[in-house]
Amino acid sequence: EFIDEDGDHIIGREAIEKSFAELFNERPNAQIAVEVTSIKMLTPNIAVEEGNVGVTREDGGDDAVSSYMAVNVKVDGKWLLGTVRNLDISSEFYTPHERLKKLEWLIGEWVDESDEAVIKSSVNWDDSGSYLIQKFEVQVDGKVDTKGTMRIGWDPLTKQFKSWLFDSGGGHSEGLWFQSGDKWIVKSSGVNADGAVVSATGEYRPIDAETFGWQCHDRVVAGEEMENIPEVVVKRVPPKAGL
């Protein structure tokens, strides 16, 4: 598993090999240099490695330098890389706004209508441009059942996207976002209005500029497993006439 500084996941030998092959096809004269700064043995078969990695340009200059952490596993007498994560970039600075452009496709007004409920939501930049703010409303039988807000931002400590959700009933949760292929996975945990601990995994799947799919699984409430929510298609609300 490889996780870059933007929090994007690449899983599996073939996918990682393909990613690096594309990098060197685009820049055939580039070189990657690795400096190991420490190795800590957790068990005889597991070691945590830390260091710095840099990509050198064709002219010899440093294009990008980042720190990394790797979990190495000894299998059949050989040390293998289990997980590698780039932690930060020291030669380039990306603002939270620039990082969040990966989720800019969420901006707009959306609606999901079913026989059970109508869910309306809107996503916009906050005044600072450093966060995305989602406002949502769940209507059942034509009446508002739940309302809430979610703030999505870049966590400079964990180096990934994070969200904070608060609903009108008093519940709240925190989510960790990462990209896997064409999907965005959100691992969330928190408490509901009754104080019960809740956790779930949500998936956003962009389909086109006007639609995305959303589903939820691994739902647990107060230690009890709940039914999965199958994928629903969320539609962009068309602009009002005359605008």
Side-chain angles (χ1 to χ4, degrees), residues 136-175:
F136 63 90
E137 179 180 284
V138 180
Q139 297 180 0
V140 178
D141 295 330
K143 298 181 180 180
V144 176
D145 181 71
T146 305
K147 300 172 67 175
T149 61
M150 180 170 66
R151 180 179 292 258
I152 308 171
W154 173 258
D155 183 357
L157 179 62
T158 61
K159 307 299 181 184
Q160 68 183 122
F161 295 115
K162 183 177 286 189
S163 60
W164 299 264
L165 184 150
F166 300 88
D167 65 48
S168 56
H172 59 84
S173 65
E174 183 176 294

Short mmCIF file of all heavy atoms in Angstrom, two decimals, residues 136-175:
data_model
loop_
_atom_site.label_atom_id
_atom_site.label_comp_id
_atom_site.label_asym_id
_atom_site.label_seq_id
_atom_site.Cartn_x
_atom_site.Cartn_y
_atom_site.Cartn_z
N PHE A 136 -27.16 20.06 4.80
CA PHE A 136 -28.08 19.03 4.32
C PHE A 136 -29.38 19.05 5.12
O PHE A 136 -29.43 19.53 6.25
CB PHE A 136 -27.44 17.65 4.39
CG PHE A 136 -27.08 17.19 5.78
CD1 PHE A 136 -27.99 16.48 6.56
CD2 PHE A 136 -25.83 17.45 6.31
CE1 PHE A 136 -27.66 16.06 7.83
CE2 PHE A 136 -25.49 17.03 7.58
CZ PHE A 136 -26.41 16.33 8.35
N GLU A 137 -30.41 18.50 4.48
CA GLU A 137 -31.74 18.46 5.07
C GLU A 137 -32.43 17.18 4.63
O GLU A 137 -32.46 16.86 3.44
CB GLU A 137 -32.55 19.68 4.65
CG GLU A 137 -33.96 19.73 5.19
CD GLU A 137 -34.70 20.98 4.71
OE1 GLU A 137 -34.42 22.05 5.26
OE2 GLU A 137 -35.52 20.87 3.78
N VAL A 138 -32.95 16.42 5.59
CA VAL A 138 -33.67 15.19 5.30
C VAL A 138 -35.16 15.42 5.55
O VAL A 138 -35.55 15.79 6.66
CB VAL A 138 -33.16 14.02 6.17
CG1 VAL A 138 -33.93 12.74 5.83
CG2 VAL A 138 -31.66 13.81 5.99
N GLN A 139 -35.98 15.21 4.52
CA GLN A 139 -37.42 15.38 4.63
C GLN A 139 -38.12 14.03 4.56
O GLN A 139 -37.81 13.22 3.68
CB GLN A 139 -37.95 16.28 3.52
CG GLN A 139 -37.42 17.69 3.55
CD GLN A 139 -37.97 18.55 2.42
OE1 GLN A 139 -38.77 18.08 1.62
NE2 GLN A 139 -37.54 19.80 2.36
N VAL A 140 -39.02 13.78 5.49
CA VAL A 140 -39.82 12.56 5.51
C VAL A 140 -41.29 12.97 5.51
O VAL A 140 -41.71 13.77 6.35
CB VAL A 140 -39.50 11.69 6.75
CG1 VAL A 140 -40.38 10.45 6.76
CG2 VAL A 140 -38.03 11.31 6.77
N ASP A 141 -42.04 12.45 4.55
CA ASP A 141 -43.47 12.80 4.40
C ASP A 141 -43.67 14.31 4.30
O ASP A 141 -44.61 14.88 4.85
CB ASP A 141 -44.28 12.26 5.58
CG ASP A 141 -44.29 10.73 5.61
OD1 ASP A 141 -44.21 10.13 4.53
OD2 ASP A 141 -44.34 10.17 6.72
N GLY A 142 -42.74 14.97 3.60
CA GLY A 142 -42.87 16.40 3.36
C GLY A 142 -42.46 17.29 4.51
O GLY A 142 -42.53 18.51 4.41
N LYS A 143 -42.00 16.69 5.62
CA LYS A 143 -41.58 17.47 6.78
C LYS A 143 -40.09 17.25 7.06
O LYS A 143 -39.58 16.16 6.84
CB LYS A 143 -42.41 17.09 8.01
CG LYS A 143 -43.89 17.37 7.88
CD LYS A 143 -44.64 16.96 9.15
CE LYS A 143 -46.14 17.25 9.01
NZ LYS A 143 -46.88 16.86 10.24
N VAL A 144 -39.43 18.31 7.56
CA VAL A 144 -38.01 18.21 7.86
C VAL A 144 -37.79 17.30 9.07
O VAL A 144 -38.35 17.52 10.14
CB VAL A 144 -37.41 19.60 8.15
CG1 VAL A 144 -35.94 19.47 8.56
CG2 VAL A 144 -37.53 20.50 6.92
N ASP A 145 -37.01 16.24 8.87
CA ASP A 145 -36.71 15.29 9.95
C ASP A 145 -35.37 15.61 10.60
O ASP A 145 -35.24 15.58 11.82
CB ASP A 145 -36.71 13.87 9.40
CG ASP A 145 -36.43 12.83 10.46
OD1 ASP A 145 -37.31 12.61 11.31
OD2 ASP A 145 -35.32 12.26 10.45
N THR A 146 -34.37 15.89 9.79
CA THR A 146 -33.02 16.17 10.29
C THR A 146 -32.35 17.21 9.40
O THR A 146 -32.54 17.21 8.18
CB THR A 146 -32.15 14.89 10.29
OG1 THR A 146 -32.81 13.87 11.04
CG2 THR A 146 -30.79 15.17 10.93
N LYS A 147 -31.59 18.09 10.02
CA LYS A 147 -30.76 19.04 9.29
C LYS A 147 -29.35 18.97 9.88
O LYS A 147 -29.15 18.46 10.98
CB LYS A 147 -31.31 20.46 9.43
CG LYS A 147 -32.73 20.64 8.91
CD LYS A 147 -33.29 22.01 9.23
CE LYS A 147 -32.56 23.11 8.52
NZ LYS A 147 -33.19 24.43 8.74
N GLY A 148 -28.38 19.49 9.14
CA GLY A 148 -27.04 19.48 9.68
C GLY A 148 -26.04 20.14 8.76
O GLY A 148 -26.38 20.59 7.65
N THR A 149 -24.81 20.20 9.22
CA THR A 149 -23.71 20.75 8.43
C THR A 149 -22.49 19.85 8.54
O THR A 149 -22.30 19.17 9.55
CB THR A 149 -23.32 22.17 8.90
OG1 THR A 149 -22.87 22.10 10.27
CG2 THR A 149 -24.48 23.14 8.79
N MET A 150 -21.71 19.86 7.49
CA MET A 150 -20.43 19.14 7.49
C MET A 150 -19.36 20.04 6.93
O MET A 150 -19.55 20.67 5.89
CB MET A 150 -20.51 17.84 6.67
CG MET A 150 -19.20 17.07 6.64
SD MET A 150 -19.37 15.40 5.92
CE MET A 150 -19.77 15.82 4.20
N ARG A 151 -18.24 20.11 7.61
CA ARG A 151 -17.10 20.90 7.15
C ARG A 151 -16.00 19.93 6.73
O ARG A 151 -15.63 19.03 7.48
CB ARG A 151 -16.61 21.82 8.28
CG ARG A 151 -15.41 22.70 7.91
CD ARG A 151 -15.03 23.59 9.08
NE ARG A 151 -16.05 24.59 9.35
CZ ARG A 151 -15.95 25.86 8.98
NH1 ARG A 151 -14.88 26.30 8.34
NH2 ARG A 151 -16.91 26.71 9.27
N ILE A 152 -15.49 20.12 5.51
CA ILE A 152 -14.42 19.27 4.99
C ILE A 152 -13.16 20.11 4.84
O ILE A 152 -13.20 21.20 4.25
CB ILE A 152 -14.80 18.67 3.62
CG1 ILE A 152 -16.17 17.98 3.69
CG2 ILE A 152 -13.74 17.68 3.15
CD1 ILE A 152 -16.69 17.56 2.33
N GLY A 153 -12.05 19.62 5.37
CA GLY A 153 -10.80 20.37 5.28
C GLY A 153 -9.61 19.45 5.21
O GLY A 153 -9.72 18.22 5.24
N TRP A 154 -8.42 20.06 5.12
CA TRP A 154 -7.15 19.33 5.06
C TRP A 154 -6.52 19.34 6.44
O TRP A 154 -6.34 20.40 7.04
CB TRP A 154 -6.21 19.98 4.05
CG TRP A 154 -4.83 19.40 4.03
CD1 TRP A 154 -3.70 19.94 4.60
CD2 TRP A 154 -4.43 18.17 3.44
NE1 TRP A 154 -2.62 19.12 4.38
CE2 TRP A 154 -3.05 18.03 3.69
CE3 TRP A 154 -5.10 17.17 2.73
CZ2 TRP A 154 -2.32 16.92 3.23
CZ3 TRP A 154 -4.38 16.07 2.28
CH2 TRP A 154 -3.00 15.95 2.52
N ASP A 155 -6.22 18.15 6.96
CA ASP A 155 -5.58 18.04 8.28
C ASP A 155 -4.07 18.01 8.08
O ASP A 155 -3.53 17.02 7.57
CB ASP A 155 -6.05 16.77 8.97
CG ASP A 155 -5.49 16.63 10.38
OD1 ASP A 155 -4.70 17.50 10.79
OD2 ASP A 155 -5.83 15.66 11.07
N PRO A 156 -3.35 19.07 8.48
CA PRO A 156 -1.90 19.11 8.27
C PRO A 156 -1.13 18.13 9.15
O PRO A 156 0.04 17.86 8.89
CB PRO A 156 -1.53 20.56 8.61
CG PRO A 156 -2.60 21.01 9.56
CD PRO A 156 -3.85 20.31 9.12
N LEU A 157 -1.79 17.58 10.18
CA LEU A 157 -1.11 16.61 11.04
C LEU A 157 -1.11 15.22 10.41
O LEU A 157 -0.06 14.59 10.28
CB LEU A 157 -1.78 16.57 12.41
CG LEU A 157 -1.19 15.56 13.42
CD1 LEU A 157 0.27 15.90 13.72
CD2 LEU A 157 -2.03 15.53 14.69
N THR A 158 -2.29 14.74 10.02
CA THR A 158 -2.40 13.40 9.44
C THR A 158 -2.17 13.39 7.93
O THR A 158 -2.10 12.32 7.32
CB THR A 158 -3.77 12.78 9.74
OG1 THR A 158 -4.79 13.60 9.15
CG2 THR A 158 -4.01 12.70 11.24
N LYS A 159 -2.09 14.59 7.33
CA LYS A 159 -1.85 14.72 5.89
C LYS A 159 -2.96 14.06 5.07
O LYS A 159 -2.69 13.32 4.11
CB LYS A 159 -0.48 14.12 5.51
CG LYS A 159 0.68 14.64 6.30
CD LYS A 159 0.87 16.14 6.14
CE LYS A 159 2.07 16.64 6.93
NZ LYS A 159 2.21 18.10 6.87
N GLN A 160 -4.21 14.31 5.44
CA GLN A 160 -5.31 13.81 4.65
C GLN A 160 -6.55 14.67 4.89
O GLN A 160 -6.58 15.49 5.80
CB GLN A 160 -5.60 12.34 4.96
CG GLN A 160 -6.15 12.07 6.34
CD GLN A 160 -6.33 10.58 6.58
OE1 GLN A 160 -5.77 10.02 7.50
NE2 GLN A 160 -7.11 9.92 5.74
N PHE A 161 -7.56 14.45 4.05
CA PHE A 161 -8.80 15.20 4.20
C PHE A 161 -9.57 14.67 5.40
O PHE A 161 -9.60 13.47 5.67
CB PHE A 161 -9.66 15.09 2.94
CG PHE A 161 -9.04 15.72 1.73
CD1 PHE A 161 -8.67 14.96 0.64
CD2 PHE A 161 -8.80 17.09 1.70
CE1 PHE A 161 -8.09 15.54 -0.47
CE2 PHE A 161 -8.22 17.69 0.58
CZ PHE A 161 -7.87 16.90 -0.50
N LYS A 162 -10.22 15.59 6.10
CA LYS A 162 -10.99 15.21 7.28
C LYS A 162 -12.30 16.02 7.26
O LYS A 162 -12.34 17.14 6.77
CB LYS A 162 -10.20 15.51 8.56
CG LYS A 162 -10.89 15.08 9.84
CD LYS A 162 -9.99 15.34 11.06
CE LYS A 162 -8.86 14.35 11.14
NZ LYS A 162 -8.11 14.46 12.42
N SER A 163 -13.36 15.42 7.80
CA SER A 163 -14.64 16.12 7.87
C SER A 163 -15.19 16.08 9.28
O SER A 163 -14.90 15.15 10.05
CB SER A 163 -15.65 15.51 6.89
OG SER A 163 -15.89 14.14 7.19
N TRP A 164 -15.99 17.10 9.61
CA TRP A 164 -16.64 17.19 10.92
C TRP A 164 -18.12 17.46 10.66
O TRP A 164 -18.47 18.47 10.02
CB TRP A 164 -16.03 18.32 11.74
CG TRP A 164 -14.58 18.14 12.02
CD1 TRP A 164 -13.99 17.59 13.13
CD2 TRP A 164 -13.47 18.54 11.17
NE1 TRP A 164 -12.62 17.62 13.03
CE2 TRP A 164 -12.28 18.18 11.84
CE3 TRP A 164 -13.39 19.15 9.91
CZ2 TRP A 164 -11.02 18.43 11.30
CZ3 TRP A 164 -12.15 19.39 9.36
CH2 TRP A 164 -10.98 19.03 10.06
N LEU A 165 -18.98 16.58 11.14
CA LEU A 165 -20.42 16.67 10.87
C LEU A 165 -21.18 16.88 12.17
O LEU A 165 -20.90 16.23 13.18
CB LEU A 165 -20.90 15.41 10.16
CG LEU A 165 -22.37 15.36 9.71
CD1 LEU A 165 -22.49 14.49 8.46
CD2 LEU A 165 -23.29 14.81 10.80
N PHE A 166 -22.17 17.80 12.13
CA PHE A 166 -23.03 18.06 13.28
C PHE A 166 -24.47 18.08 12.78
O PHE A 166 -24.78 18.76 11.79
CB PHE A 166 -22.69 19.41 13.92
CG PHE A 166 -21.27 19.50 14.42
CD1 PHE A 166 -20.25 19.92 13.58
CD2 PHE A 166 -20.97 19.14 15.72
CE1 PHE A 166 -18.94 19.99 14.04
CE2 PHE A 166 -19.66 19.21 16.19
CZ PHE A 166 -18.64 19.63 15.35
N ASP A 167 -25.37 17.31 13.45
CA ASP A 167 -26.76 17.31 13.02
C ASP A 167 -27.64 18.03 14.04
O ASP A 167 -27.22 18.31 15.17
CB ASP A 167 -27.26 15.89 12.76
CG ASP A 167 -27.30 15.02 14.00
OD1 ASP A 167 -27.82 15.47 15.05
OD2 ASP A 167 -26.84 13.86 13.93
N SER A 168 -28.88 18.33 13.62
CA SER A 168 -29.78 19.12 14.45
C SER A 168 -30.24 18.39 15.70
O SER A 168 -30.75 19.01 16.63
CB SER A 168 -31.01 19.53 13.61
OG SER A 168 -31.65 18.38 13.07
N GLY A 169 -30.06 17.07 15.76
CA GLY A 169 -30.45 16.32 16.95
C GLY A 169 -29.40 16.31 18.04
O GLY A 169 -29.65 15.83 19.15
N GLY A 170 -28.21 16.83 17.74
CA GLY A 170 -27.14 16.85 18.72
C GLY A 170 -26.05 15.83 18.47
O GLY A 170 -25.07 15.75 19.20
N GLY A 171 -26.21 15.01 17.44
CA GLY A 171 -25.18 14.03 17.10
C GLY A 171 -24.03 14.68 16.34
O GLY A 171 -24.17 15.75 15.75
N HIS A 172 -22.89 14.02 16.37
CA HIS A 172 -21.73 14.55 15.63
C HIS A 172 -20.80 13.40 15.27
O HIS A 172 -20.83 12.33 15.91
CB HIS A 172 -20.99 15.61 16.45
CG HIS A 172 -20.48 15.10 17.77
ND1 HIS A 172 -19.27 14.44 17.91
CD2 HIS A 172 -21.03 15.16 19.01
CE1 HIS A 172 -19.09 14.12 19.18
NE2 HIS A 172 -20.14 14.54 19.87
N SER A 173 -19.98 13.61 14.26
CA SER A 173 -19.03 12.59 13.84
C SER A 173 -17.83 13.23 13.15
O SER A 173 -17.89 14.39 12.72
CB SER A 173 -19.68 11.57 12.90
OG SER A 173 -20.07 12.19 11.69
N GLU A 174 -16.77 12.46 13.06
CA GLU A 174 -15.55 12.89 12.39
C GLU A 174 -15.20 11.85 11.34
O GLU A 174 -15.30 10.65 11.60
CB GLU A 174 -14.42 13.03 13.40
CG GLU A 174 -13.11 13.54 12.83
CD GLU A 174 -12.06 13.75 13.92
OE1 GLU A 174 -12.27 14.63 14.78
OE2 GLU A 174 -11.06 13.02 13.91
N GLY A 175 -14.84 12.31 10.15
CA GLY A 175 -14.54 11.37 9.06
C GLY A 175 -13.16 11.59 8.48
O GLY A 175 -12.67 12.72 8.40
#
